[in-house]
Structures are given as C-alpha cells and as structure tokens.
Amino acid sequence: MKKALEQKLGLVDMLEIKCPYCGDRSQNEFSYGGDATVKRPELNSEVNDLEWDSFVYYRDNPRGKHLELWHHISGCRQWFKVHRNTATHEIIQTLEMQEDL
Amino acid sequence: MKKYSVFSLIKNAFNGHKNWDVAWRDPEPKKEYDAVIIGGGGHGLATAYYLAKNYGIKNVAILEKGWIGGGNIGRNTTILRSNYLHDANNLFYDHGMQMWKDLSQELNYNVMYSPRGILNLAHSDAQMNAYSRRGNSMRLNGIDASLIGREEVKKMIPFADFTENARFPIFGGLLQPIGGTARHDAVAWGYARAADDLGVDIIQHCEVNGFDIDDGKVSGVQTSRGNIKTKKVGLCVAGSTSILAEKLNMTLPIEAHVLQACVSEPVKPMLDGVVTFGAGHFYCSQSDKGEMVMGGDLDGYNSYAQRGNLPTIQHVLTEGVALFPNLSRLKVLRTWGGIMDMSMDGSPIIDRTHIDGVYLNCGWCYGGFKATPVSGLTFAHTIATNEPHKLSLPFKLDRFHTGHLLDEKGLGTKTWIS
C-alpha cells in the first residue's frame, strides 16, 4: 500500500518492474524496447510508403498510459509488455507478450 | 525600455535598487494577433523576438502554460557547440554560434556567453580517427576545430585519469575552441525583455487547449484565458509537441524522454571549458558558482515526468568518476530532469504543417539550448515568409518520407538509446 502510494507520487528512487516470470525486480535489470502498440505491416502484402513511414518513424507518444516493451536482460531475458503512466511513472500492469490489455 | 548599462547600475545603486523597471509587462491577452507563438521557452521567445525585429511582425503573443523559462531552457547544461559531422547540422548550429557572440549586446542583457572551448575525449585509435573525420568536416564548413593528443589534453585537464589504471585511457580529443557555455536563464529573460520592448505580449499561465481551423487554415487558438484570433501559429513546445500535435490531428516522428542533469557542491575552479567523456555518455563543465554541472544519458523510457530515477544518475556519475577520479569526493547537490523531444533521426524539425498557418519547431533531442538564437531566427523566417529559411531547409518534416534523414550518430529509431 505504502509502496504503491510512493510510486504514484514519484517518491521512489527507481522503478520496480514486475517481470511476469520472475516477479518484482529493480529497474537496473531491464532494458527498454519502446512502444508495444506499433504494428509491423503484414508480410507479403502491398505496403505503401506512408504505412511504412508510420511503422518506422511515427509514434503516438501519449502523456499518460503507455503500453511498452521491456526486456528482462539481466534476468530471465524474456521480453514482455508493461502498461505504465508516462506522466507519473506509475506501473499499472505487466503482461506476457501474447497477452493484450 | 531603459537600457541596462554601467550608468543605470550606478544610478540605481544610489536608491537601493528599488526603482528598476520591470523587465517585461504582464499584459491581458488581446482578441487578435498577427502571430501567436505557443511556448515561452528559449525558442519561443527568440522566435517572437526575430519576428518583431527582422520581419516587422510586432503584434505577436507568446502563450506560455506555466512561466517563461521554466522548461528546458531552465533545465539544460548550458553547453554551446557546433561540432557536428553533417554539413546541414554544422552550417545551422555554427550560424547559431556566430549569433551567440553578439547576443548580450543585441539583447542588452548579459547572457554570460563564455567560449572556453569544448573538448570531446577519445579513448581509442578508432575514436581518434572518427574525431579526425568529424573535425575535418567542421573545418570544411569553416568551423575551427583541432585534434589534440594525449599530452595536450593532459595540460588542459591534468586531474583526469592519466594513470596506467585508467579503465578508458585518454588518447586525445577533438577541441572546438569557440564552444563553451552561456547562462541559460539569462537567455530566456534577455529574449523576453527584448521581445517585450518590440511590442510582443508575453502571456504566462495561458494554456492552449485547441485550435480553430476552417478549410485547412488556422483562424485562432482556444486558451485557458479565452479565444484568440490569429492567422499564424508557431509551436515551440519541445517536450509537449505530441500533445499539441494531437489536437491538430498530427502524429509526429517524436518520443518524449526524460533527461537528467545534476550539479555537485561548489568547489574552487578546476575545469575551464566543457569536457565530454568518449567511452560513455558523460559531459561536464564548471559553473561560475563552482558547481560541477554534469549530464549524460536519457533515463531510457518514454516520460513526461520532468523527473527521473536514481539508476541513471548513478550510471552517469560512475562514468564521471572513471574520467575524473577526484569527483568521487564531491557530493551531488541536486538533480533535475527535463522532457526531450527525441526525434527519430536525432535532428530537429522546423517546418510548415498540413494546416495553413500552423508552423512546427520541435524534435530538438537534447541539443536545443545552443540552437536557441538560430532556431528563433529560422523559425521566424518560416512563419513570416511561409517558406523555410535556407539554413533550416534540411530540417523539414518530410525527410522522414523522402529518406533525407540527418542521422548524426547513425542510431536509427531507438531514440532512447541516444
């Protein structure tokens, strides 16, 4: 309870991320993988330049809830999704890669 | 505007400095302006100043959500440089460096421009080669740069780790003698005072909530202090660009990331210019107060928090201590964060948009401070003439479509790595 409140108020020294496989671990064990909602255009289909630009360069970049990829690089080395608030750094939920919100 | 001078200083000293004029007015927003600049940071204030001074557009409002100079202009590490590889960046930023030289006189405000040099250290032969290439590119563009060896570096920064135990031995470095620092807040205040003097209304605590658009043309902005009519709107809101762009139905090649900096307790003069560590991401200068001003990597995840976490500070200071072992004896006095508009190729965007009369100035990554004068100049040109300035032509938004990227570091689109 206290921890959740501190995290919400940004009073913590570092993020504590709950790896879906290993549980709560310090931010130091993870590396970031960017926006998880970016979808690569379908393989073997006609892709126009704008679709390709949009996939490679353009991001929604929301202030607030953001679904993103993280990699437990110094742990189990699994990729997973984190639902996190970019304005407060509050971590709302973590999910396995195949899971959706 | 009464000019600041040694005489006005003496005159005001006699009455206890109680009768100085306010540096800028606090006007109520008018119903209509010829141009509205959103964002009262360095770039917004400079843009309004050059619109009034160079292009005669004086009926201008600067709308600032908080207070002027409270964003990245007040949060950076005050470094000035133009030590790039690509021609477009070299020419653009060096034009800015030339503007810094006379800025205090131009604005009648001491921005404490201090060209004490910036030294990028190299820690391998390969890095020396890369810096040699970069230095040559600078010199081809008329920018002074010299590649110096280990012994010369030792004379400049004798307290760096030159022992055999150094984890990353110093091979030499690339020196840009004209690089240096300026007082960041004074830049904001100087532009604000000079712009105000030319008739620009600086309106603080005024948040833009939406845009009035008819037939693809802008006709006004909706603000927390009422609607304002205008035919030209310039966005200078690095750190919040995507939020305002969303109100214009635009998605941008930008991610917001938090970058932290910190200062040590003040010490006696030890470091003259700016030094960057080449084996990691650490840069350092000493403020006039004596604090060591240090910065490094982004925290590395999307953030609008203007506040970061301890691991990055620890990481950056570990690099600092690897370079300057004596830093380990100093206490960190304070840390802070700012929100960077990280563009997908590491270079800024200065351009028109798909809406007539809406102009975009964003994507400065963490190199915006040094560009303040030249960004204001070129963006004012774009707004006034509806055409890009020749210096900012390479910074158009459509480069992400045409492929003419300005990827200085060749890092690609993982903006948080840079």
Side-chain angles (χ1 to χ4, degrees):
Chain A
M1 179 70 190
K2 184 170 170 251
K3 197 174 83 181
L5 186 68
E6 280 179 350
Q7 198 160 45
K8 201 160 194 172
L9 296 173
L11 298 175
V12 286
D13 290 337
M14 65 171 73
L15 301 179
E16 199 167 75
I17 301 170
K18 187 179 180 183
C19 169
Y21 308 97
C22 310
D24 286 338
R25 296 297 175 95
S26 111
Q27 173 189 348
N28 286 331
E29 295 185 14
F30 298 88
S31 75
Y32 185 62
D35 190 333
T37 64
V38 176
K39 287 269 181 291
R40 189 185 175 94
E42 286 293 320
L43 279 176
N44 300 323
S45 64
E46 200 62 37
V47 180
N48 67 37
D49 283 358
L50 284 177
E51 285 168 340
W52 194 248
D53 293 347
S54 166
F55 160 65
V56 178
Y57 298 119
Y58 287 77
R59 300 289 179 264
D60 290 338
N61 192 23
R63 185 183 193 276
K65 291 175 183 174
H66 188 235
L67 191 64
E68 56 203 20
L69 300 174
W70 285 78
H71 187 195
H72 196 183
I73 196 160
S74 302
C76 64
R77 300 189 66 82
Q78 291 288 324
W79 284 92
F80 59 98
K81 295 177 185 168
V82 176
H83 195 215
R84 191 178 58 89
N85 189 319
T86 60
T88 62
H89 296 168
E90 179 195 6
I91 292 171
I92 303 147
Q93 194 184 347
T94 53
L95 308 102
E96 294 178 19
M97 280 302 278
Q98 73 281 6
E99 292 178 318
D100 284 314
L101 279 174
Chain B
M1 179 175 81
K2 283 184 187 151
K3 284 199 89 169
Y4 291 155
S5 67
V6 65
F7 303 109
S8 68
L9 186 65
I10 292 165
K11 189 178 147 207
N12 280 283
F14 281 112
N15 48 35
H17 295 292
K18 286 174 186 156
N19 297 330
W20 286 103
D21 287 342
V22 292
W24 51 85
R25 297 163 295 132
D26 182 21
E28 281 298 311
K30 288 191 264 185
K31 289 268 179 285
E32 185 166 0
Y33 288 95
D34 294 339
V36 164
I37 305 297
I38 306 173
H43 290 215
L45 293 160
T47 301
Y49 171 75
Y50 291 112
L51 268 178
K53 177 168 171 275
N54 293 8
Y55 298 95
I57 302 175
K58 297 186 176 177
N59 185 26
V60 176
I62 295 170
L63 308 182
E64 166 54 50
K65 179 175 71 172
W67 58 94
I68 60 165
N72 292 334
I73 188 86
R75 294 165 185 266
N76 57 76
T77 47
T78 79
I79 296 169
L80 312 178
R81 62 186 180 91
S82 57
N83 50 0
Y84 283 81
L85 178 66
H86 289 311
D87 291 350
N89 283 330
N90 269 333
L91 293 171
F92 180 81
Y93 289 108
D94 199 57
H95 192 86
M97 292 301 281
Q98 304 307 319
M99 293 172 79
W100 280 108
K101 288 181 181 171
D102 304 321
L103 198 62
S104 293
Q105 285 74 21
E106 163 141 16
L107 301 177
N108 182 231
Y109 204 99
N110 187 2
V111 300
M112 297 167 74
Y113 167 66
S114 179
R116 290 169 294 172
I118 179 165
L119 176 63
N120 302 122
L121 295 175
H123 306 269
S124 65
D125 284 328
Q127 205 166 20
M128 283 298 276
N129 286 342
Y131 278 146
S132 152
R133 179 172 175 234
R134 193 199 286 205
N136 282 331
S137 171
M138 291 166 67
R139 293 176 74 129
L140 285 170
N141 285 306
I143 303 165
D144 191 15
S146 46
L147 196 66
I148 62 175
R150 180 179 162 94
E151 289 308 312
E152 275 173 279
V153 172
K154 201 171 179 177
K155 279 183 203 149
M156 290 176 71
I157 44 170
F159 47 87
D161 194 348
F162 288 96
T163 66
E164 286 180 3
N165 297 327
R167 174 68 182 83
F168 299 101
I170 294 166
F171 277 52
L174 180 66
L175 176 71
Q176 185 186 13
I178 199 187
T181 57
R183 168 98 165 90
H184 52 353
D185 293 323
V187 177
W189 300 332
Y191 272 118
R193 176 167 169 271
D196 177 89
D197 184 52
L198 292 170
V200 172
D201 280 358
I202 297 169
I203 300 159
Q204 304 183 75
H205 307 292
C206 179
E207 182 171 5
V208 172
N209 298 317
F211 298 85
D212 295 323
I213 293 158
D214 305 313
D215 272 344
K217 282 185 187 166
V218 71
S219 60
V221 290
Q222 301 146 15
T223 79
S224 57
R225 293 176 67 173
N227 291 355
I228 296 172
K229 283 188 197 165
T230 185
K231 291 196 169 63
K232 286 174 186 280
V233 177
L235 269 64
C236 291
V237 290
S240 302
T241 310
S242 295
I243 299 168
L244 277 180
E246 195 189 351
K247 299 181 199 296
L248 294 160
N249 290 322
M250 288 177 80
T251 309
L252 293 170
I254 282 176
E255 284 184 0
H257 284 267
V258 59
L259 176 65
Q260 296 189 82
C262 62
V263 292
S264 74
E265 57 191 316
V267 287
K268 288 191 175 179
M270 62 181 265
L271 181 58
D272 188 35
V274 182
V275 172
T276 74
F277 183 49
H281 201 170
F282 170 81
Y283 40 88
C284 186
S285 64
Q286 189 170 19
S287 76
D288 294 330
K289 284 184 284 184
E291 300 158 339
M292 303 304 288
V293 184
M294 301 171 283
D297 283 314
L298 298 171
D299 269 37
Y301 44 82
N302 288 49
S303 173
Y304 282 93
Q306 290 189 315
R307 171 179 70 219
N309 289 335
L310 203 53
T312 304
I313 293 288
Q314 285 176 323
H315 175 72
V316 168
L317 293 180
T318 304
E319 294 175 63
V321 171
L323 176 62
F324 298 137
N326 54 358
L327 287 184
S328 68
R329 304 292 174 144
L330 294 181
K331 291 188 174 73
V332 170
L333 202 62
R334 59 183 181 277
T335 72
W336 65 94
I339 303 306
M340 308 295 108
D341 259 12
M342 297 304 296
S343 71
M344 289 287 164
D345 64 352
S347 296
I349 297 160
I350 301 176
D351 204 357
R352 293 173 295 214
T353 64
H354 67 288
I355 298 161
D356 268 359
V358 177
Y359 303 88
L360 196 58
N361 175 326
C362 63
W364 290 95
C365 298
Y366 35 68
F369 173 67
K370 63 181 178 290
T372 304
V374 70
S375 161
L377 180 76
T378 54
F379 194 44
H381 180 95
T382 308
I383 293 173
T385 64
N386 205 32
E387 293 292 333
H389 190 280
K390 68 176 194 297
L391 285 170
S392 63
L393 198 57
F395 301 121
K396 286 173 68 180
L397 183 57
D398 68 0
R399 69 179 186 269
F400 295 96
H401 182 62
T402 62
H404 294 86
L405 299 180
L406 270 169
D407 198 345
E408 187 75 21
K409 291 182 179 170
L411 284 168
T413 60
K414 302 284 182 280
T415 61
W416 55 89
I417 294 172
S418 49

